[in-house]
Amino acid sequence: MGRDVANRRLRAGIVGGGKGSFIGAVHRVAAELDGQAQVVAGAMSTDPQRAEESAKAWFLDRSYASFEEMAEKEASRPDGIDFVIVATPNHMHYPVAKAFLQHGIHVVSDKPMSFSLEQAQEEVALVESKNLIFALTHNYTGYPMVRQARDLVRSGALGEIRKVIVEYIQDWLMEPQEQSGNKQAAWRTDPTKSGIAGCVGDIGTHGENLLEFITGQKIASLSADLSTFVPGRQLDDDANMLLRLENGAKGLLTCSQIAAGEENNLNIRVYGTRAGLEWHQMEPNTLLFKQPGQPTQIYRTNAPYTSEEARAAARTPGGHPEGFYEAFANIYRMAIADIRRVESGEKPLGGYPTVYDGLRGMLFITKAVESSQKGATWVDMKL
Amino acid sequence: MGRDVANRRLRAGIVGGGKGSFIGAVHRVAAELDGQAQVVAGAMSTDPQRAEESAKAWFLDRSYASFEEMAEKEASRPDGIDFVIVATPNHMHYPVAKAFLQHGIHVVSDKPMSFSLEQAQEEVALVESKNLIFALTHNYTGYPMVRQARDLVRSGALGEIRKVIVEYIQDWLMEPQEQSGNKQAAWRTDPTKSGIAGCVGDIGTHGENLLEFITGQKIASLSADLSTFVPGRQLDDDANMLLRLENGAKGLLTCSQIAAGEENNLNIRVYGTRAGLEWHQMEPNTLLFKQPGQPTQIYRTNAPYTSEEARAAARTPGGHPEGFYEAFANIYRMAIADIRRVESGEKPLGGYPTVYDGLRGMLFITKAVESSQKGATWVDMKL
Amino acid sequence: MGRDVANRRLRAGIVGGGKGSFIGAVHRVAAELDGQAQVVAGAMSTDPQRAEESAKAWFLDRSYASFEEMAEKEASRPDGIDFVIVATPNHMHYPVAKAFLQHGIHVVSDKPMSFSLEQAQEEVALVESKNLIFALTHNYTGYPMVRQARDLVRSGALGEIRKVIVEYIQDWLMEPQEQSGNKQAAWRTDPTKSGIAGCVGDIGTHGENLLEFITGQKIASLSADLSTFVPGRQLDDDANMLLRLENGAKGLLTCSQIAAGEENNLNIRVYGTRAGLEWHQMEPNTLLFKQPGQPTQIYRTNAPYTSEEARAAARTPGGHPEGFYEAFANIYRMAIADIRRVESGEKPLGGYPTVYDGLRGMLFITKAVESSQKGATWVDMKL
Amino acid sequence: MGRDVANRRLRAGIVGGGKGSFIGAVHRVAAELDGQAQVVAGAMSTDPQRAEESAKAWFLDRSYASFEEMAEKEASRPDGIDFVIVATPNHMHYPVAKAFLQHGIHVVSDKPMSFSLEQAQEEVALVESKNLIFALTHNYTGYPMVRQARDLVRSGALGEIRKVIVEYIQDWLMEPQEQSGNKQAAWRTDPTKSGIAGCVGDIGTHGENLLEFITGQKIASLSADLSTFVPGRQLDDDANMLLRLENGAKGLLTCSQIAAGEENNLNIRVYGTRAGLEWHQMEPNTLLFKQPGQPTQIYRTNAPYTSEEARAAARTPGGHPEGFYEAFANIYRMAIADIRRVESGEKPLGGYPTVYDGLRGMLFITKAVESSQKGATWVDMKL
């Protein structure tokens, strides 16, 4: 939209993500990995001292006490930031994004997109009214083998999809960590900060997004059984769901933060009339392509037989493992390329999760909770 | 009960399992593997010529045209069979077992135990009225690492069970095999031979049995979504279920015969308040024991640190893979030992699936179908 | 030649393999697995009481105090044994085999074939002079996926072989077990019973045999570095070797019984000008077929795309794991079929390891020891 | 030494690594990943246009036509680079490093350190004469699980090391790529650019370095069989070696660039008197710890039970896969921290491969070639 971004790294700001935050550092690394952007400003904490220290540790040029001030001042500087990274707890996602969007600054936001479904709908309208990029870090879609999986489905190699199994299971909340000073655990299990769902909002949405991304099918209805296993906890820490997809396929989705001994086990299997596929986030450079009556094939990141899009998402030759940062950075790579396009008057090309994915996610959270409250009965995934 | 079985191999007869049958040969190998029994008589097919040829191929001493004749004649011979193997399609399981039980002959039967829940209840009563061994070949419980899994749960190493995921997925019915001369596919998808369920009865019950075997918990209620994906098929070929266990644990069970590229993928994961475990039938000699904050441990068949019961189920030193036959043979080993005990006037010790497991299986089938017919709503697992 | 074996199980005898022996039971199970033979006689121990008890535990019809007596008496009975199983320590392999061969009885023998290279040469001459089957239980060649591997090489799918890596590593002798009453450890480490090599003779030969079986290439020369790590031990417990094959390919062979934490890790990788393959005995139903620039393919036991010979070596549908016993039984299956052929005046078809493989094995042992004694220098694999 | 580096990212320059180079981009990402440095200057190609374009693509402030000019000019600027990255073909490693060292600029260099053993010795002397950091990117030592492996050895958990197997096998040179325009293949197989070894110099040295890093033992002697399988090639493309370590342990090292179907398969196994370990670069976040008579334990990156040093090398919570870039970045992280220390007058702490590792690598290359030329006989690893 008129900024000259052609011969320089983009300038980014960050809200949240201060010292002790896991995701803040992930955003910085991912945003900067390709040498296409640099974080130069931040409002990294609501605690002024922590904000200052965090900014200093990252050698930021400018540190702000509030995101409102940052939005206003950066928007008015000739060398102000081109985009903002939203790395706060959930309840602040929308207010922060809104402030920067209203000041004409592009946004890359953590998921879930907002605190409530209503906010999400508002956010869609706001983004639609601006010529700005909004990218949502459903980062797992950034893995080359996830792109490959989608391309296999799109190519018809799987035939019509019949069955999907998606899991996202962890154990980090199997004890009441929120009662013993774990900051992330505290807000994740606090309905005033996380929203109506715990585990379902934090990781269940990743499962939902991955499923719809790979299969190209939307979830039509679901029957969800949410549980809270840890005494005293206010939000769900486990959920099992039956799914029915638009095309008649059936599915299962499970997410858990009390699955003892599981680290970050996100995985998906898709079965169609012709073939199946299987992918595990913890060994992300491998994708199994399963054909009945044929040897299962092991697809590998950046192999010559993979699709153009999958190869575009890889940075190293086969056998040099790519991981979480690189997948996350792919969201940024595509969003940054689109920011450059928009600023040059070109049309954005997309490829990363957007405000519409964010809306699906909030709808999923809302309906899963509704289903569970009604006794794990079927509800439609409709607004 | 008076037969002198002390210094000889037991004599077995078989009903069904003739030429072309997969499971017939499995029963023979499993029954004979430890050198404790030998199949000497059979009514191996309803087709007399096939019966004759099948018996000859196995060098059987005696071949019968019907199981009724076999039961009667064998019961009256001094060198008659000690036990019978029931390896027919489902609808004949009970009639055959009944005939031999009534002639005082022990029974080892294929699962599901009967054609209907009513038959199963009758069968329980019949077995209870006799001093005879009845073993049901839920063979997967015969694997050493499944025994180890149960022992870990029993020992309290997992704490209180919170979550269970059990899967049994295959692809052999993803095309309408029943229409192209595949004999097994034909009866498996025929409600007059299989009963009210297809996939759920054939393999879903193995999942249910394995879950209850390992966790020691009963399924209290379920919500089951059965599907028939292959056009023209009369029974389900896929099912997804939400489970609630008696102790408050939650679970998922999925079974499928249309999951493209899957061979015989039975697997289970159990998560408790202290630890989790994971086992895959296709690599059966490995069991993962997952402790939060500790390295996952790889338990291996017949390792010195495994439980006494798990070691008793193994035959070879660690690293010499044991497989499907050996697990199946463990059911026979325990049943044969009990036949020897009963014949010597001792009390049987059990350890193998019995008529009560068979009843649970038939209840599971009945309730899963009922739930699905009601729109995948919750039903209790009660008689 | 001339026995009527058409309509009955063959009768087998066993020498060695008494109580406490691992391999004795393996032979019995493997010989009987297909219902084509039954062990009926034995000279199972040099200790008369143990011999008697062992025979009784197996319900054998006849127990002998010595193998010489057994050979003589069985040869003269109308219902005498058709073949003998040699399951003794190494130093007795040849004397026992010789006695039965001279009485016109077929032989299935443990490896290594004999105590010395000279004996092996004598044994070749003896077998060549008789119209009798001699099978050597290099059992690992019995695995379906090993057969598949050989077929892939034979078909040219790998192109010209360039590189081979074969490993057989265990840990069961990492402590001086032979000093604490472990019977098998005692004779395995005793040069008067095992011969000139320990680990190389026990498991190194399996590696050599597997390599030559799969590649169809002979080892032309080797440079072997044998070690004895456990103090007080008289024979090698570890060896590393460089290999050069007849066609110019290069190779590595390592075997060890002191590799901490390894169970029975036999594996092989073969690389040619077109493709490579990889097989692990501990997960024997999987074979990796590796093509440059193509997805690696996972071949599975009894899959429809596997070779006729590989499928003939399988007994169960895909996904029903086959293991050590079944592979071992495949050696027996082929040997027994050949005994039937020979007795019916037909030509034997082979397929199992023979006296010539036994000679190669003894040559390998001899040359590996020679190379090591000369300082791990190159020696030719020539008689 | 005297630069004020406290409150800013360090400034880096790069020699080589221009467009089309794989390793150039790796260095940039790795150097910048932690936000502790930024590449600002470069002499990225000997071709001036390519140099210019490469610098522009990275938004570098300054692009030079030659490394000599760059060294001189940067050394005299107040905002000159703090360290240089050497990412050229092997023959330029030493000349470039020398130029910058002589201008008082710290160096991070690709391996092998130099073109010849003589150069390496000179380089050691040069570095010893300066108070400058010299880091060599034996990047695989940067993986958290490699650090964990070393810590397990150091802690005595493995006991005395007895056996080591290290492999580094690829297939990218199995065809004569150097004849079809592949730039990297061209110089890698050109003795005027690579030095006396091909595969051994490129990847064999990584194996040697990894082995010595983890075990803490030096290779005392070796017997190496180098091969050139691809017709017309001037350097080795495959090697097999027997090793003897200083403490009496035995080992195997194999490296290959013609192993069909292998991507970048670097792996190591170490066996001691108490336990063993196994690590595979292609699944780098897992380390197997193997204790005899105990379940094998799966160590995972950043798990709480891992060593302090291993955790320090990780950036994300368990289950968020870290890969090649992050391991590479760990070398930079430690080197950059040492540059900051040296510039502040503190003593460097090390932790990364240095000029002494470079010398070992060149000695290894030299001795492997010597051994092979003498017919794969034993030579000592002595200067």
Side-chain angles (χ1 to χ4, degrees):
Chain A
M1 217 181 312
R3 296 172 210 249
D4 184 3
V5 296
N7 293 307
R8 61 172 175 85
R9 296 185 180 199
L10 297 192
R11 292 181 292 267
I14 185 164
V15 179
K19 276 189 169 185
S21 154
F22 150 53
I23 209 67
V26 170
H27 277 282
R28 188 192 55 69
V29 170
E32 298 186 348
L33 194 94
D34 288 315
Q36 294 292 322
Q38 186 161 352
V39 181
V40 298
M44 295 183 71
S45 176
T46 47
D47 170 343
Q49 193 187 333
R50 211 166 138 264
E52 193 58 36
E53 283 173 12
S54 301
K56 202 171 167 188
W58 285 11
F59 308 122
L60 299 193
D61 294 332
R62 303 181 288 279
S63 174
Y64 296 93
S66 78
F67 72 87
E68 294 92 342
E69 184 197 351
M70 176 170 156
E72 198 181 315
K73 294 219 173 135
E74 290 293 322
S76 64
R77 293 178 66 105
D79 64 346
I81 59 172
D82 300 299
F83 68 94
V84 73
I85 298 164
V86 186
T88 65
N90 300 350
H91 66 305
M92 296 307 294
H93 286 179
Y94 178 53
V96 173
K98 187 176 173 183
F100 285 85
L101 289 167
Q102 287 178 334
H103 280 90
I105 293 171
H106 306 278
V107 172
V108 179
S109 171
D110 255 355
K111 40 52 59 189
M113 188 166 72
S114 57
F115 187 69
S116 67
L117 182 56
E118 292 67 33
Q119 275 190 355
Q121 290 175 291
E122 227 182 285
E123 194 155 1
V124 169
L126 176 60
V127 169
E128 286 180 342
S129 73
K130 305 274 181 187
N131 188 23
L132 293 168
I133 296 305
F134 180 92
L136 193 71
T137 51
H138 271 306
N139 53 293
Y140 297 111
T141 61
Y143 277 113
M145 287 298 95
V146 168
R147 303 260 150 183
Q148 177 66 39
R150 180 171 69 163
D151 287 334
L152 282 168
V153 173
R154 281 182 174 172
S155 74
L158 271 76
E160 184 73 10
I161 304 306
R162 285 171 164 177
K163 186 180 183 79
V164 185
I165 305 174
V166 60
E167 307 178 343
Y168 198 155
I169 54 182
Q170 309 175 321
D171 73 0
W172 74 288
L173 290 175
M174 68 179 283
E175 302 294 340
Q177 305 289 346
E178 63 270 37
Q179 296 167 24
S180 44
N182 180 321
K183 235 187 112 147
Q184 195 185 167
W187 78 256
R188 287 279 182 205
T189 59
D190 177 352
T192 68
K193 298 209 170 125
S194 262
I196 59 173
C199 175
V200 168
D202 184 15
I203 60 177
T205 46
H206 276 306
E208 169 267 330
N209 180 259
L210 191 66
L211 183 159
E212 297 195 344
F213 180 84
I214 290 177
T215 65
Q217 296 292 333
K218 300 249 174 280
I219 298 171
S221 58
L222 55 79
S223 172
D225 195 15
L226 276 59
S227 307
T228 303
F229 282 107
V230 173
R233 185 164 289 163
Q234 299 185 65
L235 294 172
D236 59 285
D237 49 26
D238 182 87
N240 296 322
M241 307 188 199
L242 302 178
L243 308 177
R244 292 173 180 170
L245 308 192
E246 282 182 341
N247 76 333
K250 300 289 183 78
L252 282 175
L253 184 151
T254 186
C255 56
S256 186
Q257 293 176 323
I258 57 88
E262 297 290 349
E263 291 182 315
N264 196 42
N265 185 351
L266 168 66
N267 66 77
I268 187 164
R269 285 166 288 166
V270 181
Y271 301 99
T273 50
R274 291 204 190 129
L277 57 80
E278 177 171 352
W279 179 78
H280 292 256
Q281 192 268 151
M282 283 171 58
E283 302 294 4
N285 298 298
T286 292
L287 172 71
L288 297 180
F289 179 54
K290 304 178 171 190
Q291 292 169 285
Q294 297 293 332
T296 287
Q297 297 189 328
I298 305 175
Y299 278 65
R300 294 275 308 163
T301 294
N302 220 5
Y305 50 79
T306 56
S307 69
E308 198 178 336
E309 188 183 354
R311 269 177 287 126
R315 290 172 179 81
T316 54
H320 299 74
E322 307 201 15
F324 184 78
Y325 278 143
E326 291 75 36
F328 215 109
N330 283 333
I331 306 300
Y332 273 99
R333 175 190 277 186
M334 292 181 284
I336 288 171
D338 261 5
I339 292 172
R340 290 190 187 279
R341 285 188 195 98
V342 166
E343 294 294 344
S344 315
E346 293 172 58
K347 283 192 61 169
L349 289 183
Y352 44 89
T354 68
V355 74
Y356 301 107
D357 297 278
L359 181 60
R360 287 293 295 171
M362 292 309 300
L363 184 60
F364 171 77
I365 291 168
T366 306
K367 294 299 176 178
V369 171
E370 180 188 328
S371 165
S372 195
Q373 285 173 346
K374 291 180 174 167
T377 55
W378 290 90
V379 297
D380 288 342
M381 271 273 284
K382 277 187 190 150
L383 278 174
Chain B
M1 216 180 317
R3 297 171 207 250
D4 184 3
V5 297
N7 295 306
R8 60 171 176 87
R9 294 184 182 202
L10 298 192
R11 292 181 292 266
I14 185 164
V15 179
K19 276 188 168 185
S21 154
F22 150 54
I23 209 66
V26 171
H27 277 283
R28 188 193 55 68
V29 170
E32 298 186 348
L33 194 94
D34 288 316
Q36 294 293 322
Q38 185 161 352
V39 181
V40 299
M44 295 184 70
S45 176
T46 49
D47 170 344
Q49 193 185 332
R50 210 165 138 268
E52 192 58 34
E53 283 173 11
S54 301
K56 203 170 168 187
W58 284 11
F59 308 123
L60 299 192
D61 295 331
R62 305 182 287 279
S63 174
Y64 297 92
S66 78
F67 73 88
E68 295 91 341
E69 185 197 352
M70 177 170 155
E72 198 181 316
K73 295 219 172 137
E74 289 293 323
S76 65
R77 294 178 66 104
D79 64 347
I81 59 173
D82 300 298
F83 68 93
V84 73
I85 297 163
V86 186
T88 64
N90 299 350
H91 66 304
M92 296 306 293
H93 286 178
Y94 178 54
V96 173
K98 187 177 174 181
F100 284 86
L101 288 167
Q102 288 177 334
H103 280 89
I105 293 172
H106 306 279
V107 173
V108 179
S109 171
D110 255 356
K111 41 51 57 188
M113 189 166 74
S114 58
F115 187 68
S116 67
L117 182 57
E118 292 68 32
Q119 275 190 357
Q121 291 176 291
E122 228 183 284
E123 194 154 2
V124 169
L126 177 59
V127 169
E128 286 180 342
S129 73
K130 305 273 180 186
N131 188 21
L132 292 168
I133 296 305
F134 179 93
L136 193 71
T137 52
H138 272 305
N139 52 295
Y140 297 110
T141 61
Y143 278 112
M145 287 298 95
V146 168
R147 302 261 151 185
Q148 178 66 39
R150 181 171 66 161
D151 287 334
L152 282 168
V153 173
R154 280 182 173 172
S155 74
L158 272 75
E160 183 73 10
I161 304 306
R162 286 172 163 177
K163 185 179 182 79
V164 185
I165 305 174
V166 60
E167 308 178 342
Y168 198 155
I169 54 182
Q170 310 175 321
D171 73 359
W172 75 288
L173 290 174
M174 68 178 282
E175 303 293 341
Q177 305 288 346
E178 63 269 38
Q179 295 168 27
S180 45
N182 180 320
K183 235 187 112 145
Q184 196 187 164
W187 80 255
R188 287 276 182 207
T189 59
D190 177 352
T192 69
K193 298 207 169 126
S194 264
I196 58 172
C199 173
V200 167
D202 185 14
I203 59 177
T205 47
H206 276 305
E208 168 268 328
N209 180 259
L210 190 66
L211 183 159
E212 297 195 344
F213 180 84
I214 289 176
T215 65
Q217 296 293 333
K218 301 250 176 277
I219 299 170
S221 58
L222 55 77
S223 172
D225 194 16
L226 275 59
S227 308
T228 303
F229 282 107
V230 173
R233 185 163 289 162
Q234 299 184 68
L235 294 172
D236 59 283
D237 48 25
D238 181 86
N240 296 322
M241 307 187 199
L242 302 178
L243 308 177
R244 291 173 181 169
L245 308 192
E246 282 181 339
N247 75 333
K250 300 290 183 78
L252 281 175
L253 184 151
T254 185
C255 56
S256 185
Q257 293 176 324
I258 56 88
E262 297 290 349
E263 290 183 315
N264 196 42
N265 185 351
L266 169 64
N267 65 79
I268 186 165
R269 284 166 289 167
V270 181
Y271 301 100
T273 49
R274 288 204 191 130
L277 57 79
E278 177 170 353
W279 179 77
H280 293 257
Q281 192 267 153
M282 285 172 57
E283 303 294 5
N285 298 298
T286 292
L287 172 71
L288 297 180
F289 179 54
K290 303 177 172 190
Q291 292 169 286
Q294 296 293 332
T296 288
Q297 297 190 328
I298 306 176
Y299 277 66
R300 295 276 307 164
T301 294
N302 220 4
Y305 50 79
T306 57
S307 69
E308 198 179 335
E309 188 182 355
R311 269 176 286 128
R315 290 172 179 81
T316 53
H320 297 75
E322 307 201 14
F324 183 79
Y325 279 142
E326 291 77 34
F328 216 108
N330 282 335
I331 307 298
Y332 273 99
R333 175 191 278 186
M334 292 181 283
I336 288 170
D338 261 4
I339 293 171
R340 290 192 187 278
R341 285 188 194 98
V342 165
E343 294 294 344
S344 314
E346 293 172 59
K347 283 192 62 168
L349 289 183
Y352 44 87
T354 68
V355 75
Y356 301 106
D357 297 278
L359 180 60
R360 286 293 296 170
M362 293 309 299
L363 183 60
F364 171 76
I365 291 169
T366 306
K367 294 298 176 178
V369 170
E370 180 189 327
S371 165
S372 195
Q373 285 172 347
K374 291 181 175 167
T377 54
W378 290 90
V379 298
D380 288 343
M381 271 274 285
K382 278 190 191 149
L383 277 173
Chain C
M1 216 171 330
R3 298 169 207 250
D4 184 3
V5 295
N7 295 307
R8 60 172 176 86
R9 295 186 181 199
L10 298 192
R11 292 181 292 266
I14 185 166
V15 179
K19 277 187 168 187
S21 154
F22 150 55
I23 210 66
V26 171
H27 277 283
R28 187 193 55 69
V29 170
E32 297 186 350
L33 194 96
D34 287 316
Q36 293 293 322
Q38 186 162 351
V39 181
V40 299
M44 294 183 71
S45 175
T46 48
D47 169 343
Q49 192 185 335
R50 210 165 138 267
E52 193 58 34
E53 283 173 10
S54 302
K56 203 170 168 188
W58 285 10
F59 308 124
L60 299 193
D61 295 331
R62 304 181 287 279
S63 174
Y64 296 93
S66 78
F67 73 88
E68 295 92 341
E69 184 196 352
M70 176 170 156
E72 198 180 316
K73 296 220 173 132
E74 289 293 322
S76 64
R77 293 177 67 103
D79 64 349
I81 59 173
D82 300 299
F83 67 94
V84 74
I85 297 163
V86 186
T88 64
N90 298 350
H91 67 303
M92 296 306 294
H93 287 178
Y94 179 54
V96 173
K98 185 177 173 183
F100 286 86
L101 288 168
Q102 286 178 336
H103 280 89
I105 294 171
H106 306 279
V107 173
V108 178
S109 172
D110 255 355
K111 40 54 53 189
M113 189 166 72
S114 57
F115 188 70
S116 67
L117 182 57
E118 293 67 34
Q119 275 190 355
Q121 290 175 293
E122 227 182 284
E123 195 155 0
V124 170
L126 176 61
V127 169
E128 286 181 341
S129 73
K130 305 275 180 186
N131 188 21
L132 292 167
I133 296 305
F134 180 93
L136 193 71
T137 51
H138 271 305
N139 52 295
Y140 297 110
T141 62
Y143 278 113
M145 287 299 96
V146 168
R147 303 261 150 184
Q148 177 66 40
R150 181 171 69 162
D151 287 334
L152 282 168
V153 173
R154 279 183 174 171
S155 73
L158 271 76
E160 183 73 11
I161 304 306
R162 285 172 164 177
K163 184 177 183 81
V164 185
I165 304 174
V166 61
E167 306 178 343
Y168 198 155
I169 53 181
Q170 309 175 321
D171 73 359
W172 75 287
L173 289 174
M174 68 178 283
E175 302 294 340
Q177 305 289 346
E178 63 269 37
Q179 296 167 26
S180 45
N182 180 321
K183 234 187 114 147
Q184 196 185 164
W187 78 254
R188 287 279 182 204
T189 58
D190 176 352
T192 68
K193 297 205 170 130
S194 263
I196 57 171
C199 174
V200 167
D202 184 14
I203 59 177
T205 46
H206 276 305
E208 168 268 328
N209 181 259
L210 190 66
L211 183 158
E212 296 195 345
F213 181 83
I214 289 177
T215 65
Q217 296 292 334
K218 300 249 176 279
I219 298 170
S221 58
L222 56 79
S223 171
D225 194 16
L226 276 60
S227 306
T228 303
F229 282 106
V230 173
R233 186 163 289 161
Q234 299 184 67
L235 293 173
D236 59 284
D237 49 26
D238 182 88
N240 296 322
M241 306 188 199
L242 302 177
L243 308 178
R244 291 173 180 169
L245 308 192
E246 281 181 342
N247 75 333
K250 300 290 182 80
L252 281 175
L253 185 151
T254 185
C255 56
S256 185
Q257 293 175 322
I258 57 89
E262 297 289 349
E263 290 182 316
N264 196 42
N265 185 352
L266 169 64
N267 66 78
I268 187 164
R269 284 167 288 167
V270 181
Y271 302 99
T273 50
R274 289 202 191 133
L277 56 79
E278 176 170 353
W279 179 78
H280 292 257
Q281 192 269 152
M282 284 172 57
E283 303 294 7
N285 297 298
T286 292
L287 173 71
L288 298 179
F289 179 54
K290 303 178 172 189
Q291 293 170 284
Q294 296 294 330
T296 287
Q297 298 189 327
I298 305 176
Y299 277 66
R300 294 277 306 163
T301 295
N302 221 4
Y305 50 78
T306 56
S307 69
E308 198 178 336
E309 188 182 355
R311 268 176 287 127
R315 290 171 179 82
T316 53
H320 298 75
E322 307 201 14
F324 183 79
Y325 278 143
E326 291 76 34
F328 215 108
N330 282 334
I331 307 298
Y332 272 98
R333 176 190 276 186
M334 293 181 283
I336 287 170
D338 261 5
I339 292 171
R340 290 192 187 278
R341 287 188 194 98
V342 165
E343 293 294 344
S344 315
E346 292 172 61
K347 282 191 61 168
L349 288 183
Y352 45 86
T354 68
V355 74
Y356 301 107
D357 298 278
L359 182 59
R360 286 292 296 170
M362 293 309 299
L363 183 59
F364 171 77
I365 291 168
T366 307
K367 294 298 178 178
V369 170
E370 181 188 327
S371 165
S372 195
Q373 285 172 347
K374 291 180 175 168
T377 55
W378 289 90
V379 298
D380 289 342
M381 270 274 284
K382 278 190 191 148
L383 277 173
Chain D
M1 220 174 319
R3 296 171 210 248
D4 184 3
V5 296
N7 295 305
R8 60 171 176 87
R9 295 186 182 199
L10 297 192
R11 293 181 291 267
I14 184 165
V15 178
K19 277 188 167 187
S21 155
F22 150 53
I23 209 66
V26 170
H27 278 281
R28 187 192 56 69
V29 170
E32 298 186 349
L33 195 95
D34 287 315
Q36 294 293 323
Q38 185 161 351
V39 181
V40 298
M44 296 184 69
S45 174
T46 48
D47 170 343
Q49 192 185 336
R50 211 166 138 267
E52 193 58 35
E53 283 172 13
S54 302
K56 202 170 167 187
W58 285 10
F59 308 123
L60 298 193
D61 296 330
R62 304 182 288 279
S63 174
Y64 297 92
S66 78
F67 72 88
E68 293 93 341
E69 185 197 352
M70 176 170 156
E72 198 182 316
K73 294 219 173 137
E74 289 293 324
S76 63
R77 292 178 67 104
D79 65 347
I81 59 173
D82 300 300
F83 67 93
V84 74
I85 298 164
V86 186
T88 64
N90 300 350
H91 66 304
M92 295 307 293
H93 285 177
Y94 179 54
V96 172
K98 187 177 172 181
F100 285 85
L101 288 167
Q102 287 178 332
H103 281 88
I105 294 172
H106 305 279
V107 173
V108 178
S109 171
D110 255 356
K111 40 50 57 187
M113 188 165 73
S114 57
F115 188 69
S116 67
L117 183 56
E118 291 68 33
Q119 275 190 353
Q121 292 175 290
E122 225 181 287
E123 195 155 1
V124 169
L126 176 59
V127 170
E128 287 180 341
S129 73
K130 306 272 179 188
N131 189 22
L132 293 168
I133 296 304
F134 180 94
L136 193 72
T137 51
H138 270 306
N139 53 294
Y140 298 111
T141 61
Y143 277 114
M145 288 297 96
V146 168
R147 302 260 151 184
Q148 178 66 40
R150 181 172 66 163
D151 286 335
L152 282 168
V153 173
R154 280 182 174 172
S155 74
L158 272 76
E160 183 73 10
I161 304 306
R162 285 172 164 176
K163 185 178 181 81
V164 184
I165 305 175
V166 60
E167 308 179 341
Y168 198 156
I169 54 182
Q170 311 174 321
D171 74 359
W172 75 287
L173 289 175
M174 68 178 283
E175 302 294 340
Q177 304 289 346
E178 63 269 37
Q179 295 167 26
S180 44
N182 180 321
K183 234 188 111 144
Q184 195 186 166
W187 78 255
R188 287 279 184 206
T189 59
D190 177 353
T192 69
K193 297 205 170 129
S194 263
I196 58 172
C199 174
V200 167
D202 184 14
I203 59 177
T205 46
H206 276 306
E208 168 267 328
N209 181 259
L210 191 66
L211 183 158
E212 297 196 344
F213 180 83
I214 289 177
T215 64
Q217 295 293 333
K218 301 249 175 280
I219 299 170
S221 58
L222 56 78
S223 172
D225 195 15
L226 276 58
S227 307
T228 303
F229 282 106
V230 173
R233 185 164 290 162
Q234 298 184 68
L235 294 173
D236 59 284
D237 49 25
D238 182 88
N240 297 322
M241 307 188 199
L242 303 177
L243 307 178
R244 291 172 182 172
L245 307 192
E246 282 181 340
N247 75 331
K250 300 289 183 82
L252 280 175
L253 184 151
T254 186
C255 56
S256 185
Q257 293 175 323
I258 57 88
E262 297 290 349
E263 291 182 316
N264 196 41
N265 186 352
L266 168 65
N267 66 77
I268 186 164
R269 284 167 287 167
V270 181
Y271 302 100
T273 49
R274 290 203 191 132
L277 56 80
E278 176 170 353
W279 179 78
H280 292 257
Q281 191 269 152
M282 284 171 60
E283 303 294 6
N285 297 298
T286 292
L287 172 71
L288 298 179
F289 178 55
K290 304 178 171 190
Q291 292 170 285
Q294 296 293 331
T296 287
Q297 298 190 327
I298 306 177
Y299 277 66
R300 296 274 307 162
T301 295
N302 219 6
Y305 49 79
T306 56
S307 69
E308 198 179 335
E309 188 183 355
R311 269 177 287 128
R315 289 172 181 81
T316 53
H320 299 75
E322 306 201 14
F324 184 77
Y325 278 143
E326 290 77 35
F328 216 108
N330 282 334
I331 307 299
Y332 273 99
R333 175 190 276 187
M334 293 181 284
I336 288 171
D338 261 3
I339 293 172
R340 290 190 188 279
R341 285 187 195 99
V342 165
E343 295 293 344
S344 315
E346 293 172 58
K347 283 192 62 169
L349 289 183
Y352 45 87
T354 68
V355 75
Y356 301 106
D357 297 278
L359 180 61
R360 286 293 296 171
M362 293 308 300
L363 183 60
F364 172 75
I365 291 168
T366 306
K367 294 299 176 178
V369 170
E370 180 188 327
S371 164
S372 195
Q373 284 172 348
K374 290 182 175 167
T377 54
W378 289 89
V379 297
D380 289 342
M381 271 273 284
K382 279 191 191 147
L383 278 174

